[in-house]
Structures are given as C-alpha cells and as structure tokens.
Amino acid sequence: MVKQVVTTVCFVLFHCIISYWAFMSSCSIHSSTKTIIPAIARYFGTKGRYEEANTYLIDDILAINNSLVTLPSSNCREIHLTAIIRHGTRFPTTKNFQKMREFYNFVVRDVTSNSLSEIKSQWAMWYGEDMDGRLVDKGRADHRHLAQRLIKWFPSLLTQDNVRHGRVKLITSSKHRCVNSTIAFREGLINGLSMEDSLDEFKPVVNDALMRYFDQCERFVKEVENNKSALEEVKHFNEGPEMKRVTEKMADRLEVPYASITDDSVEGAFFLCAYEFTIRALNSPWCQLFDEVDAQVMEYSSDLKQYWKRSYGHDINSKSSCILFHDLFHRLDQAVAQINFNGTVSEAVTVQVGHAETLLPLLTLLEMFKDDTPLSSTNFANQQNRIFRSGNIVPYTANLLVVLYQCPEGIRMGVRLNEKSLTLPGLTEPVPLYEDVKNRYRALLEGCDQETVCKMNNS
C-alpha cells in the first residue's frame, strides 16, 4: 500500500483564509423569510445543495429523519463509524468562472432585448478567478450542521469522552476547501457536544494519498484525466440534438442569432443560476433562461461527465480508489478485532473529508448506483428514470457513513449515503453481518492493489 504521508494542519491557515474571505458573510442570506428555491434546483448535479438531496432539511437543518434509516435489532450497539464526506459549498473553480464571465460579458455587450434587463441594470459580475473553488460561508455551515446531526445519529460514538481521549480522528485533503470544511466540522462537534475548544490534539491531518488518490494514479491520469477521448460521449451529447435545442431556445429568449449561443454559453448561464442559489440563496434571473426540460438536458450532460470521468465509464475510474477501499476495511477489521479482544475500540469515529472525486469512484467500486444500461450520448430519452444522478449521490457535503454494530449473533455493518440507508449490491439485508460483506467483496479485498492497477503497463 502506498505510504501515507500525514502532516498536521496548522490552524493559522484557517484564520488567514477566513479573514481574507470575511466579506463573504455579506453574501449569505440570513433572513426569517423562506428562500425561494429555483424550480430547476434539483438538476444542479454536483453544484447542488445538500438540502435538495434531503428536502426535509429545508425546514430544519438539524433534523434527522429516522424513516430513511434501517437499524439492526435493539440488542445491538454501535461500535465504530467511518464518515467519508465531500467538502461543503464552494466558489466556482477558475475554469467554471471563465465560462460564467464570458456569458455575462456577452449578455452585457450583445443582448438588447428586455429579457435580462434586471441583470443588466442591477447585477454585476462579482465572482473572480482568485476565488477558485474556495469554501464559502454556506459551506462551513454545511459541515457544522452535518456534525451536529451526526451527534444525534450516533450519540454513543460522538461523545465528549471519545473526543477528549483521541478516539475521534479527522483526516482531510490538502485542498483549502477540504481543510476548512474539516475545521468547520470540528467546530460543529465541539459546539454540539458543549465542549471547550481547548483540545490542541484534536486537529485534522492531511492525507492526500487517501483523499486525493486519483492524482497519484498514473493510469487514471493518463487514460482519463488528461485524455480528451475518454469523454467522447460527453462531447457527442453536447453536440447533439438535445443540447442544440437548449441553445436555440436560449437564443430565442435573448433574441440573438443561434450562432451566438454555444454549449459553453448555456453551461456558463447554468453555473450562474446554480452558484447564485447555492452560495447566496438567490433565485436569480439567470435561472429564468432555463425551463425544466432544458435543466434536465444540462443535468444529463453533467452526469455523463461524472459517469465517464469518475464512475462506470472506464474501469480505472473505480479501481483508482483501491487504496481508500483497503483503508476503510483495514480500519473496520481493526475495530472488530479490538471488540473481540477486550470489548473496546481505539478509534470510535473516523471522519475523512475529500471531494466528489473521492467519493464517486469508491461508490462505483462498491457497485452502487449502477444502471442496467450505461449512460451514453444517444440514450438521454431512455435514461429519465436512471439511478445515476450526481445531484442525489454527491452534492456538496455528500457523505458515506459506514457503521459497525456489535450484536448477539456477531458484528453487523450498516451503510448510509447522505443519511439514508443503502443495501449493498448482492446482499439482501440492509444491515448484514460484517463477514457477509467481506465475502461479497472478497475479490477486491484479496486484489485491487493500488500500485498494480495504476501502472500504465497493467491491462
């Protein structure tokens, strides 16, 4: 296994960044009035709020919904939790910002109709390249609130005693949005447990070998990440009839020639709608450029990209997560061995904060959210009921929760995604015996060696 290089995260980083980005507090909407949600918000994909995946949180952000979770018998007790979490809501990356800026400049310069008069008179481009994917205030709140809900879900694991005695571990990607998400999660735990924030030893550690494994997998980088042909299906769809109709409808709304609007144009407009809502809680005029059918096309384009770049489209996508898979099961095995030996575990809770690119390949390796028919550029109409929807799987703050229970009949394992129970493919029980889970994934546990699968000469 790749040697894990861990370094302690300096809290000074957080204080520097928070002071630099303090102005963002004014961009968050804190009002007693209910937010008006865009009709197309459910189609924002990986740019979507966690609340769209769990709509009951819109009314109470600290609520837990027991009807969505299956538990073992009352004779069982929780002994370990691993939570693998995506960072919270963030600014657009530089690449996405450039598309947003180009479309905004086009509107200001070339659109003369009254369709966007409100934007032209009242809205100014406030995003900048220097924001490049940084965490926003809403993203910090996402993680603080998740931590407080997890305290409710797992009151016997997330305790003052476990935190004080080092039985709760925090691991993060080195990216600033992940570091700051982890710090916010820590704050949520400390406040939720009514503890004094004086635990110098309770700090997150950076581990990119685990949380950004995809950067270190040579075969993935060369065959997918840096290979344009790996995303041919996305290209074909964006050049196809469904996307062409979206661009033509937008041109009609703006009263400009069809040639003026490209798939990059509509993507830039879609990003403006999505980010204004997720960051500022605004149902902006940008959203009026899309009807529901348009938004479904935009969502499918995004899902195609996730499918072919991070999921079932190419075998190496999922295999690149072997190191995280083995890390998870090694920890679970250790907890089981300790329980069988003396009834206690040294690591009650492990929280690992990464990216959509961290979670999606691992979920794919576990064969979750796999449609019978692969997503392609030509089957949009037949995929309206697909289960592979990135907005439901990996929105901001998406989380994979793996729980071990000690039961009279043996150790059981429960899996939840975004605080909803999942039944693992190939198993019938929602909370199966841990040994049955290991038998189900025996081939991966005995193989799936990171160094082997990531070598370019491996077929």
Short mmCIF file of all heavy atoms in Angstrom, two decimals, residues 224-282:
data_model
loop_
_atom_site.label_atom_id
_atom_site.label_comp_id
_atom_site.label_asym_id
_atom_site.label_seq_id
_atom_site.Cartn_x
_atom_site.Cartn_y
_atom_site.Cartn_z
N VAL A 224 -7.55 8.85 -18.53
CA VAL A 224 -8.83 9.54 -18.36
C VAL A 224 -8.66 11.04 -18.14
O VAL A 224 -9.13 11.86 -18.93
CB VAL A 224 -9.64 8.91 -17.20
CG1 VAL A 224 -10.98 9.63 -17.03
CG2 VAL A 224 -9.87 7.42 -17.43
N GLU A 225 -7.97 11.41 -17.08
CA GLU A 225 -7.88 12.83 -16.69
C GLU A 225 -7.31 13.69 -17.81
O GLU A 225 -7.85 14.76 -18.12
CB GLU A 225 -7.02 12.96 -15.43
CG GLU A 225 -6.88 14.39 -14.92
CD GLU A 225 -8.15 14.93 -14.28
OE1 GLU A 225 -8.88 14.15 -13.66
OE2 GLU A 225 -8.41 16.14 -14.42
N ASN A 226 -6.23 13.23 -18.43
CA ASN A 226 -5.57 14.02 -19.47
C ASN A 226 -5.84 13.51 -20.88
O ASN A 226 -5.11 13.82 -21.81
CB ASN A 226 -4.05 14.05 -19.22
CG ASN A 226 -3.70 14.78 -17.94
OD1 ASN A 226 -4.46 15.62 -17.46
ND2 ASN A 226 -2.55 14.46 -17.37
N ASN A 227 -6.88 12.73 -21.03
CA ASN A 227 -7.19 12.11 -22.33
C ASN A 227 -8.57 12.58 -22.80
O ASN A 227 -9.59 12.15 -22.28
CB ASN A 227 -7.16 10.59 -22.18
CG ASN A 227 -7.49 9.88 -23.48
OD1 ASN A 227 -7.55 10.50 -24.55
ND2 ASN A 227 -7.70 8.57 -23.40
N LYS A 228 -8.60 13.47 -23.76
CA LYS A 228 -9.87 14.04 -24.23
C LYS A 228 -10.81 12.96 -24.78
O LYS A 228 -12.03 13.08 -24.67
CB LYS A 228 -9.61 15.10 -25.29
CG LYS A 228 -8.98 16.38 -24.75
CD LYS A 228 -8.85 17.42 -25.84
CE LYS A 228 -8.25 18.71 -25.29
NZ LYS A 228 -8.11 19.75 -26.35
N SER A 229 -10.25 11.93 -25.38
CA SER A 229 -11.10 10.89 -25.97
C SER A 229 -11.86 10.10 -24.92
O SER A 229 -12.86 9.44 -25.23
CB SER A 229 -10.26 9.94 -26.82
OG SER A 229 -9.36 9.19 -26.02
N ALA A 230 -11.42 10.18 -23.65
CA ALA A 230 -12.12 9.46 -22.57
C ALA A 230 -13.52 10.01 -22.36
O ALA A 230 -14.39 9.32 -21.82
CB ALA A 230 -11.32 9.53 -21.27
N LEU A 231 -13.74 11.26 -22.77
CA LEU A 231 -15.04 11.90 -22.57
C LEU A 231 -15.75 12.15 -23.90
O LEU A 231 -16.52 13.11 -24.04
CB LEU A 231 -14.87 13.22 -21.81
CG LEU A 231 -14.25 13.11 -20.40
CD1 LEU A 231 -14.21 14.48 -19.75
CD2 LEU A 231 -15.05 12.14 -19.54
N GLU A 232 -15.52 11.27 -24.87
CA GLU A 232 -16.15 11.42 -26.18
C GLU A 232 -17.68 11.44 -26.09
O GLU A 232 -18.35 12.16 -26.83
CB GLU A 232 -15.72 10.29 -27.11
CG GLU A 232 -14.33 10.48 -27.70
CD GLU A 232 -14.27 11.64 -28.69
OE1 GLU A 232 -15.11 11.69 -29.60
OE2 GLU A 232 -13.38 12.50 -28.52
N GLU A 233 -18.24 10.65 -25.18
CA GLU A 233 -19.70 10.60 -25.05
C GLU A 233 -20.25 11.95 -24.62
O GLU A 233 -21.33 12.37 -25.06
CB GLU A 233 -20.11 9.51 -24.05
CG GLU A 233 -19.89 8.10 -24.54
CD GLU A 233 -20.76 7.75 -25.75
OE1 GLU A 233 -21.94 8.16 -25.79
OE2 GLU A 233 -20.25 7.08 -26.66
N VAL A 234 -19.54 12.64 -23.76
CA VAL A 234 -19.97 13.97 -23.31
C VAL A 234 -19.93 14.94 -24.49
O VAL A 234 -20.87 15.72 -24.72
CB VAL A 234 -19.07 14.48 -22.16
CG1 VAL A 234 -19.57 15.83 -21.65
CG2 VAL A 234 -19.00 13.47 -21.02
N LYS A 235 -18.84 14.89 -25.24
CA LYS A 235 -18.68 15.76 -26.41
C LYS A 235 -19.81 15.53 -27.43
O LYS A 235 -20.42 16.48 -27.93
CB LYS A 235 -17.32 15.52 -27.06
CG LYS A 235 -17.01 16.37 -28.29
CD LYS A 235 -15.57 16.10 -28.75
CE LYS A 235 -15.22 16.95 -29.98
NZ LYS A 235 -15.93 16.47 -31.19
N HIS A 236 -20.09 14.26 -27.71
CA HIS A 236 -21.14 13.94 -28.68
C HIS A 236 -22.50 14.44 -28.19
O HIS A 236 -23.29 14.96 -28.99
CB HIS A 236 -21.20 12.43 -28.93
CG HIS A 236 -19.99 11.89 -29.63
ND1 HIS A 236 -19.29 12.61 -30.57
CD2 HIS A 236 -19.35 10.68 -29.54
CE1 HIS A 236 -18.28 11.89 -31.03
NE2 HIS A 236 -18.29 10.71 -30.41
N PHE A 237 -22.77 14.28 -26.92
CA PHE A 237 -24.07 14.74 -26.39
C PHE A 237 -24.18 16.26 -26.49
O PHE A 237 -25.24 16.79 -26.87
CB PHE A 237 -24.25 14.29 -24.94
CG PHE A 237 -25.58 14.71 -24.36
CD1 PHE A 237 -26.75 14.04 -24.72
CD2 PHE A 237 -25.66 15.77 -23.48
CE1 PHE A 237 -27.98 14.43 -24.19
CE2 PHE A 237 -26.89 16.18 -22.95
CZ PHE A 237 -28.05 15.50 -23.31
N ASN A 238 -23.09 16.95 -26.15
CA ASN A 238 -23.13 18.41 -26.19
C ASN A 238 -23.22 18.96 -27.62
O ASN A 238 -23.54 20.13 -27.82
CB ASN A 238 -21.91 19.00 -25.49
CG ASN A 238 -21.99 18.82 -23.99
OD1 ASN A 238 -23.05 18.54 -23.44
ND2 ASN A 238 -20.86 18.97 -23.30
N GLU A 239 -22.92 18.11 -28.60
CA GLU A 239 -23.06 18.49 -30.00
C GLU A 239 -24.34 17.93 -30.62
O GLU A 239 -24.60 18.12 -31.80
CB GLU A 239 -21.85 17.98 -30.80
CG GLU A 239 -20.53 18.65 -30.40
CD GLU A 239 -19.33 17.99 -31.05
OE1 GLU A 239 -19.50 16.87 -31.61
OE2 GLU A 239 -18.23 18.57 -31.00
N GLY A 240 -25.12 17.22 -29.79
CA GLY A 240 -26.29 16.51 -30.29
C GLY A 240 -27.57 17.32 -30.28
O GLY A 240 -27.60 18.50 -29.90
N PRO A 241 -28.68 16.69 -30.66
CA PRO A 241 -29.96 17.40 -30.84
C PRO A 241 -30.54 17.98 -29.55
O PRO A 241 -31.16 19.06 -29.59
CB PRO A 241 -30.88 16.33 -31.44
CG PRO A 241 -30.26 15.02 -31.05
CD PRO A 241 -28.78 15.27 -31.04
N GLU A 242 -30.38 17.27 -28.43
CA GLU A 242 -30.96 17.78 -27.19
C GLU A 242 -30.30 19.08 -26.75
O GLU A 242 -30.98 20.06 -26.41
CB GLU A 242 -30.83 16.73 -26.06
CG GLU A 242 -31.64 15.47 -26.27
CD GLU A 242 -30.90 14.39 -27.03
OE1 GLU A 242 -29.74 14.65 -27.43
OE2 GLU A 242 -31.47 13.30 -27.22
N MET A 243 -28.97 19.12 -26.80
CA MET A 243 -28.27 20.34 -26.40
C MET A 243 -28.49 21.44 -27.44
O MET A 243 -28.59 22.64 -27.08
CB MET A 243 -26.78 20.07 -26.22
CG MET A 243 -26.01 21.25 -25.63
SD MET A 243 -26.54 21.70 -23.95
CE MET A 243 -25.80 20.36 -22.99
N LYS A 244 -28.58 21.07 -28.70
CA LYS A 244 -28.83 22.08 -29.74
C LYS A 244 -30.16 22.78 -29.49
O LYS A 244 -30.28 24.00 -29.65
CB LYS A 244 -28.84 21.41 -31.11
CG LYS A 244 -29.07 22.42 -32.26
CD LYS A 244 -29.10 21.72 -33.61
CE LYS A 244 -29.34 22.74 -34.73
NZ LYS A 244 -29.44 22.08 -36.06
N ARG A 245 -31.16 22.02 -29.06
CA ARG A 245 -32.46 22.63 -28.78
C ARG A 245 -32.36 23.59 -27.59
O ARG A 245 -32.99 24.67 -27.60
CB ARG A 245 -33.49 21.53 -28.49
CG ARG A 245 -34.90 22.07 -28.24
CD ARG A 245 -35.44 22.77 -29.45
NE ARG A 245 -36.74 23.39 -29.18
CZ ARG A 245 -37.06 24.62 -29.54
NH1 ARG A 245 -36.19 25.37 -30.19
NH2 ARG A 245 -38.26 25.11 -29.28
N VAL A 246 -31.57 23.25 -26.59
CA VAL A 246 -31.38 24.15 -25.44
C VAL A 246 -30.74 25.46 -25.89
O VAL A 246 -31.17 26.55 -25.50
CB VAL A 246 -30.52 23.48 -24.34
CG1 VAL A 246 -30.21 24.47 -23.22
CG2 VAL A 246 -31.24 22.26 -23.76
N THR A 247 -29.71 25.36 -26.72
CA THR A 247 -29.02 26.59 -27.18
C THR A 247 -29.96 27.44 -28.04
O THR A 247 -29.95 28.67 -27.94
CB THR A 247 -27.74 26.25 -27.97
OG1 THR A 247 -28.07 25.50 -29.13
CG2 THR A 247 -26.77 25.46 -27.11
N GLU A 248 -30.78 26.80 -28.88
CA GLU A 248 -31.70 27.55 -29.73
C GLU A 248 -32.77 28.25 -28.90
O GLU A 248 -33.13 29.41 -29.17
CB GLU A 248 -32.34 26.62 -30.76
CG GLU A 248 -31.36 26.14 -31.82
CD GLU A 248 -31.97 25.12 -32.77
OE1 GLU A 248 -33.07 24.60 -32.45
OE2 GLU A 248 -31.36 24.85 -33.81
N LYS A 249 -33.29 27.57 -27.89
CA LYS A 249 -34.30 28.18 -27.02
C LYS A 249 -33.73 29.38 -26.27
O LYS A 249 -34.40 30.40 -26.10
CB LYS A 249 -34.86 27.14 -26.06
CG LYS A 249 -35.80 26.14 -26.71
CD LYS A 249 -36.01 24.91 -25.85
CE LYS A 249 -36.77 25.18 -24.59
NZ LYS A 249 -37.01 23.95 -23.82
N MET A 250 -32.48 29.26 -25.83
CA MET A 250 -31.87 30.38 -25.13
C MET A 250 -31.66 31.55 -26.10
O MET A 250 -31.89 32.72 -25.74
CB MET A 250 -30.54 29.98 -24.48
CG MET A 250 -29.91 31.13 -23.70
SD MET A 250 -28.50 30.63 -22.70
CE MET A 250 -29.31 29.68 -21.43
N ALA A 251 -31.23 31.26 -27.30
CA ALA A 251 -31.06 32.32 -28.31
C ALA A 251 -32.40 33.02 -28.57
O ALA A 251 -32.45 34.25 -28.70
CB ALA A 251 -30.49 31.74 -29.59
N ASP A 252 -33.47 32.25 -28.63
CA ASP A 252 -34.80 32.84 -28.84
C ASP A 252 -35.17 33.75 -27.68
O ASP A 252 -35.71 34.85 -27.88
CB ASP A 252 -35.85 31.74 -29.00
CG ASP A 252 -35.74 31.00 -30.34
OD1 ASP A 252 -35.13 31.57 -31.26
OD2 ASP A 252 -36.25 29.87 -30.43
N ARG A 253 -34.90 33.30 -26.46
CA ARG A 253 -35.23 34.11 -25.28
C ARG A 253 -34.44 35.42 -25.27
O ARG A 253 -34.94 36.46 -24.84
CB ARG A 253 -34.97 33.32 -24.01
CG ARG A 253 -35.89 32.13 -23.79
CD ARG A 253 -35.65 31.46 -22.44
NE ARG A 253 -36.51 30.28 -22.30
CZ ARG A 253 -36.08 29.01 -22.34
NH1 ARG A 253 -34.78 28.78 -22.51
NH2 ARG A 253 -36.92 28.02 -22.21
N LEU A 254 -33.20 35.34 -25.71
CA LEU A 254 -32.33 36.52 -25.69
C LEU A 254 -32.45 37.35 -26.98
O LEU A 254 -31.87 38.44 -27.06
CB LEU A 254 -30.87 36.09 -25.49
CG LEU A 254 -30.55 35.38 -24.17
CD1 LEU A 254 -29.09 34.95 -24.15
CD2 LEU A 254 -30.86 36.27 -22.98
N GLU A 255 -33.15 36.79 -27.95
CA GLU A 255 -33.33 37.47 -29.24
C GLU A 255 -31.99 37.76 -29.90
O GLU A 255 -31.69 38.88 -30.34
CB GLU A 255 -34.15 38.75 -29.07
CG GLU A 255 -35.56 38.49 -28.53
CD GLU A 255 -36.34 39.77 -28.31
OE1 GLU A 255 -36.02 40.80 -28.92
OE2 GLU A 255 -37.29 39.73 -27.51
N VAL A 256 -31.16 36.71 -29.97
CA VAL A 256 -29.86 36.80 -30.64
C VAL A 256 -29.77 35.67 -31.66
O VAL A 256 -30.53 34.69 -31.59
CB VAL A 256 -28.70 36.70 -29.61
CG1 VAL A 256 -28.73 37.87 -28.65
CG2 VAL A 256 -28.74 35.36 -28.87
N PRO A 257 -28.86 35.75 -32.61
CA PRO A 257 -28.70 34.68 -33.61
C PRO A 257 -28.33 33.35 -32.95
O PRO A 257 -27.62 33.33 -31.93
CB PRO A 257 -27.56 35.18 -34.50
CG PRO A 257 -27.54 36.66 -34.30
CD PRO A 257 -27.96 36.90 -32.90
N TYR A 258 -28.79 32.26 -33.53
CA TYR A 258 -28.48 30.94 -32.99
C TYR A 258 -26.98 30.71 -32.85
O TYR A 258 -26.51 30.08 -31.90
CB TYR A 258 -29.08 29.84 -33.88
CG TYR A 258 -30.58 29.68 -33.74
CD1 TYR A 258 -31.30 28.90 -34.64
CD2 TYR A 258 -31.27 30.29 -32.70
CE1 TYR A 258 -32.67 28.73 -34.52
CE2 TYR A 258 -32.65 30.14 -32.56
CZ TYR A 258 -33.35 29.37 -33.48
OH TYR A 258 -34.70 29.21 -33.35
N ALA A 259 -26.23 31.22 -33.80
CA ALA A 259 -24.78 31.00 -33.79
C ALA A 259 -24.10 31.67 -32.59
O ALA A 259 -22.96 31.34 -32.26
CB ALA A 259 -24.17 31.53 -35.09
N SER A 260 -24.80 32.60 -31.93
CA SER A 260 -24.20 33.32 -30.79
C SER A 260 -24.14 32.46 -29.53
O SER A 260 -23.36 32.75 -28.62
CB SER A 260 -25.02 34.58 -30.48
OG SER A 260 -25.07 35.43 -31.59
N ILE A 261 -24.97 31.42 -29.46
CA ILE A 261 -25.09 30.61 -28.25
C ILE A 261 -24.52 29.21 -28.50
O ILE A 261 -24.96 28.50 -29.41
CB ILE A 261 -26.55 30.51 -27.79
CG1 ILE A 261 -27.15 31.89 -27.57
CG2 ILE A 261 -26.66 29.69 -26.51
CD1 ILE A 261 -26.49 32.70 -26.46
N THR A 262 -23.56 28.83 -27.68
CA THR A 262 -22.93 27.50 -27.77
C THR A 262 -23.25 26.71 -26.51
O THR A 262 -23.86 27.21 -25.57
CB THR A 262 -21.41 27.64 -27.92
OG1 THR A 262 -20.89 28.20 -26.69
CG2 THR A 262 -21.05 28.54 -29.09
N ASP A 263 -22.77 25.45 -26.49
CA ASP A 263 -22.97 24.65 -25.27
C ASP A 263 -22.19 25.25 -24.10
O ASP A 263 -22.62 25.15 -22.95
CB ASP A 263 -22.57 23.19 -25.51
CG ASP A 263 -21.12 23.04 -25.94
OD1 ASP A 263 -20.79 23.52 -27.04
OD2 ASP A 263 -20.33 22.43 -25.21
N ASP A 264 -21.06 25.91 -24.36
CA ASP A 264 -20.34 26.61 -23.29
C ASP A 264 -21.15 27.80 -22.78
O ASP A 264 -21.11 28.11 -21.58
CB ASP A 264 -18.98 27.10 -23.80
CG ASP A 264 -17.92 26.01 -23.80
OD1 ASP A 264 -18.16 24.95 -23.18
OD2 ASP A 264 -16.88 26.20 -24.44
N SER A 265 -21.88 28.46 -23.66
CA SER A 265 -22.72 29.59 -23.25
C SER A 265 -23.78 29.14 -22.25
O SER A 265 -23.96 29.75 -21.20
CB SER A 265 -23.40 30.24 -24.46
OG SER A 265 -22.48 30.65 -25.43
N VAL A 266 -24.50 28.07 -22.62
CA VAL A 266 -25.59 27.63 -21.74
C VAL A 266 -25.04 27.06 -20.44
O VAL A 266 -25.65 27.19 -19.38
CB VAL A 266 -26.52 26.62 -22.45
CG1 VAL A 266 -27.26 27.28 -23.60
CG2 VAL A 266 -25.78 25.39 -22.92
N GLU A 267 -23.84 26.45 -20.52
CA GLU A 267 -23.24 25.94 -19.29
C GLU A 267 -22.86 27.11 -18.38
O GLU A 267 -23.08 27.06 -17.16
CB GLU A 267 -22.01 25.10 -19.59
CG GLU A 267 -21.48 24.36 -18.36
CD GLU A 267 -20.37 23.39 -18.69
OE1 GLU A 267 -19.56 23.68 -19.59
OE2 GLU A 267 -20.30 22.33 -18.04
N GLY A 268 -22.30 28.18 -18.94
CA GLY A 268 -21.97 29.36 -18.15
C GLY A 268 -23.21 29.96 -17.50
O GLY A 268 -23.18 30.34 -16.32
N ALA A 269 -24.31 30.04 -18.23
CA ALA A 269 -25.57 30.56 -17.68
C ALA A 269 -26.10 29.64 -16.59
O ALA A 269 -26.61 30.11 -15.55
CB ALA A 269 -26.60 30.70 -18.79
N PHE A 270 -25.99 28.34 -16.81
CA PHE A 270 -26.47 27.37 -15.81
C PHE A 270 -25.64 27.48 -14.52
O PHE A 270 -26.19 27.42 -13.42
CB PHE A 270 -26.39 25.96 -16.40
CG PHE A 270 -27.27 24.96 -15.71
CD1 PHE A 270 -28.65 25.10 -15.73
CD2 PHE A 270 -26.73 23.86 -15.05
CE1 PHE A 270 -29.49 24.18 -15.12
CE2 PHE A 270 -27.55 22.92 -14.43
CZ PHE A 270 -28.93 23.08 -14.47
N PHE A 271 -24.34 27.66 -14.67
CA PHE A 271 -23.49 27.86 -13.49
C PHE A 271 -23.89 29.12 -12.73
O PHE A 271 -23.93 29.13 -11.50
CB PHE A 271 -22.02 27.96 -13.91
CG PHE A 271 -21.38 26.66 -14.32
CD1 PHE A 271 -20.26 26.66 -15.15
CD2 PHE A 271 -21.88 25.45 -13.90
CE1 PHE A 271 -19.66 25.47 -15.53
CE2 PHE A 271 -21.30 24.25 -14.28
CZ PHE A 271 -20.18 24.26 -15.10
N LEU A 272 -24.17 30.20 -13.45
CA LEU A 272 -24.57 31.44 -12.79
C LEU A 272 -25.84 31.24 -11.99
O LEU A 272 -25.95 31.70 -10.84
CB LEU A 272 -24.78 32.55 -13.84
CG LEU A 272 -23.51 33.20 -14.38
CD1 LEU A 272 -23.79 33.96 -15.67
CD2 LEU A 272 -22.90 34.13 -13.33
N CYS A 273 -26.81 30.54 -12.56
CA CYS A 273 -28.04 30.22 -11.83
C CYS A 273 -27.73 29.38 -10.60
O CYS A 273 -28.20 29.69 -9.50
CB CYS A 273 -29.00 29.49 -12.77
SG CYS A 273 -30.41 28.71 -11.95
N ALA A 274 -26.93 28.33 -10.77
CA ALA A 274 -26.65 27.40 -9.67
C ALA A 274 -25.86 28.06 -8.54
O ALA A 274 -26.21 27.93 -7.36
CB ALA A 274 -25.90 26.18 -10.20
N TYR A 275 -24.78 28.76 -8.89
CA TYR A 275 -23.93 29.35 -7.84
C TYR A 275 -24.63 30.49 -7.11
O TYR A 275 -24.45 30.65 -5.90
CB TYR A 275 -22.61 29.83 -8.44
CG TYR A 275 -21.63 28.72 -8.72
CD1 TYR A 275 -21.24 28.41 -10.02
CD2 TYR A 275 -21.10 27.97 -7.68
CE1 TYR A 275 -20.33 27.39 -10.27
CE2 TYR A 275 -20.20 26.95 -7.92
CZ TYR A 275 -19.83 26.66 -9.22
OH TYR A 275 -18.94 25.63 -9.47
N GLU A 276 -25.42 31.29 -7.80
CA GLU A 276 -26.15 32.35 -7.12
C GLU A 276 -27.11 31.77 -6.08
O GLU A 276 -27.34 32.36 -5.02
CB GLU A 276 -26.93 33.21 -8.13
CG GLU A 276 -26.06 34.15 -8.93
CD GLU A 276 -25.49 35.27 -8.08
OE1 GLU A 276 -26.16 36.30 -7.90
OE2 GLU A 276 -24.35 35.10 -7.57
N PHE A 277 -27.64 30.59 -6.38
CA PHE A 277 -28.55 29.96 -5.41
C PHE A 277 -27.78 29.27 -4.29
O PHE A 277 -28.06 29.48 -3.11
CB PHE A 277 -29.46 28.96 -6.11
CG PHE A 277 -30.38 28.25 -5.15
CD1 PHE A 277 -31.29 28.97 -4.39
CD2 PHE A 277 -30.32 26.88 -5.00
CE1 PHE A 277 -32.13 28.32 -3.48
CE2 PHE A 277 -31.15 26.22 -4.11
CZ PHE A 277 -32.06 26.94 -3.35
N THR A 278 -26.80 28.43 -4.64
CA THR A 278 -26.13 27.65 -3.60
C THR A 278 -25.28 28.53 -2.68
O THR A 278 -25.17 28.25 -1.49
CB THR A 278 -25.25 26.54 -4.22
OG1 THR A 278 -24.31 27.13 -5.13
CG2 THR A 278 -26.08 25.53 -4.96
N ILE A 279 -24.70 29.60 -3.21
CA ILE A 279 -23.84 30.46 -2.40
C ILE A 279 -24.63 31.57 -1.71
O ILE A 279 -24.44 31.83 -0.51
CB ILE A 279 -22.72 31.08 -3.26
CG1 ILE A 279 -21.77 29.99 -3.78
CG2 ILE A 279 -21.93 32.12 -2.46
CD1 ILE A 279 -20.71 30.50 -4.74
N ARG A 280 -25.54 32.19 -2.44
CA ARG A 280 -26.22 33.37 -1.92
C ARG A 280 -27.70 33.17 -1.61
O ARG A 280 -28.39 34.10 -1.18
CB ARG A 280 -26.06 34.53 -2.91
CG ARG A 280 -24.62 34.83 -3.27
CD ARG A 280 -24.51 35.91 -4.32
NE ARG A 280 -24.84 37.23 -3.78
CZ ARG A 280 -24.95 38.32 -4.54
NH1 ARG A 280 -24.77 38.24 -5.85
NH2 ARG A 280 -25.24 39.47 -3.99
N ALA A 281 -28.21 31.95 -1.87
CA ALA A 281 -29.62 31.63 -1.64
C ALA A 281 -30.55 32.51 -2.47
O ALA A 281 -31.65 32.85 -2.03
CB ALA A 281 -29.97 31.74 -0.15
N LEU A 282 -30.11 32.87 -3.69
CA LEU A 282 -30.90 33.73 -4.56
C LEU A 282 -31.47 32.94 -5.73
O LEU A 282 -30.75 32.20 -6.40
CB LEU A 282 -30.04 34.87 -5.11
CG LEU A 282 -29.52 35.89 -4.10
CD1 LEU A 282 -28.65 36.92 -4.82
CD2 LEU A 282 -30.67 36.58 -3.36
#
